[in-house]
Amino acid sequence: MNYIKEFKAAAAQSRKLGLSEIAVGETATVLDQAVLNALEETGHIPFRQRAVQGLNVNFGMFHMLAKKFHIPGGVLTMGNVAMDGEMRFPVTPAHFRKMVENESGEDALGTYHLWTTLPGGFILDHVLPSILAGDGLIEVDEAMPAERYLYGPADELPHGITYHPMVAGLEFLIASGTVDREAMEYLMGEKFPKQYGG
């Protein structure tokens, strides 16, 4: 199954959880290398620490992409990631449903991965290289900004990496009790339905 098809299934799963309609544009948004480098330079969490601060790093980069660099159409996406077919996180769509039902998302951090999906099925992830380098699976030259993140078409990534979205959108983080609604509204400058974190 290709990434866009999996993303559409994740969007359907998000609707089943009572979250808003989420879609990603079919026409690719290709980011300029200067924007990617500038985004990377805004990150304040050292490369090696990113592996254990996935939410802070990838949500922070998503926020900067949308609010500082004004790149439209990105969707914060949650799910699993595989390398050479081996899944890295012990999570299924049922886990996300339970996180919403029990508002246990804060306790479940680290059981799933999150990243930004850009139009056309491009991935932007500032955490996975730190995880894989820490596990000795890839080598990263930390002096090279472009090696500290993963960016490209989801179906053409290096190292046998594949992303498997299961839910999508900021509302999941609110509905699951991971991030307070008022804090999200402050950060993103938009209103979210009162039923989340209300």
Side-chain angles (χ1 to χ4, degrees):
M1 182 181 276
N2 76 16
Y3 183 80
I4 291 289
K5 286 183 181 174
E6 286 196 50
F7 184 91
K8 287 178 178 176
Q13 169 76 1
S14 301
R15 277 193 308 277
K16 288 179 188 170
L17 295 174
L19 307 177
S20 291
E21 185 84 22
I22 296 291
V24 68
E26 300 277 338
T27 304
T29 295
V30 180
L31 299 181
D32 184 87
Q33 190 63 48
V35 170
L36 288 165
N37 290 345
L39 183 64
E40 172 62 23
E41 287 168 14
T42 65
H44 61 280
I45 298 175
F47 179 77
R48 293 285 168 181
Q49 291 178 22
R50 292 179 185 185
V52 294
Q53 295 188 22
L55 174 68
N56 292 341
V57 174
N58 272 343
F59 176 79
M61 292 304 190
F62 171 82
H63 178 263
M64 295 296 286
L65 193 70
K67 298 303 176 184
K68 180 177 180 178
F69 295 97
H70 307 289
I71 306 294
V75 177
L76 200 65
T77 309
M78 285 67 58
N80 209 328
V81 181
M83 184 173 186
D84 296 325
E86 182 181 336
M87 292 294 187
R88 305 277 309 162
F89 297 89
V91 69
T92 66
H95 288 91
F96 291 99
R97 187 178 64 249
K98 286 180 181 167
M99 282 181 234
V100 170
E101 288 171 358
N102 303 327
E103 293 185 14
S104 59
E106 190 172 2
D107 297 332
L109 289 174
T111 64
Y112 65 92
H113 193 61
L114 75 162
W115 62 91
T116 298
T117 300
L118 291 161
F122 275 63
I123 297 292
L124 181 61
D125 186 345
H126 287 79
V127 175
L128 191 66
S130 176
I131 294 170
L132 297 178
D135 290 347
L137 296 173
I138 64 171
E139 287 187 23
V140 173
D141 182 350
E142 294 176 41
M144 299 290 295
E147 289 196 24
R148 296 193 299 256
Y149 60 85
L150 191 62
Y151 170 72
D155 295 324
E156 301 173 19
L157 296 171
H159 311 295
I161 294 169
T162 54
Y163 282 74
H164 303 279
M166 295 179 189
V167 294
L170 295 171
E171 283 183 15
F172 167 76
L173 295 178
I174 302 167
S176 65
T178 307
V179 177
D180 178 79
R181 183 175 48 81
E182 286 78 14
M184 187 70 82
E185 289 178 353
Y186 173 77
L187 286 167
M188 297 308 297
E190 59 187 271
K191 293 289 183 187
F192 293 91
K194 290 285 185 194
Q195 74 258 32
Y196 307 129

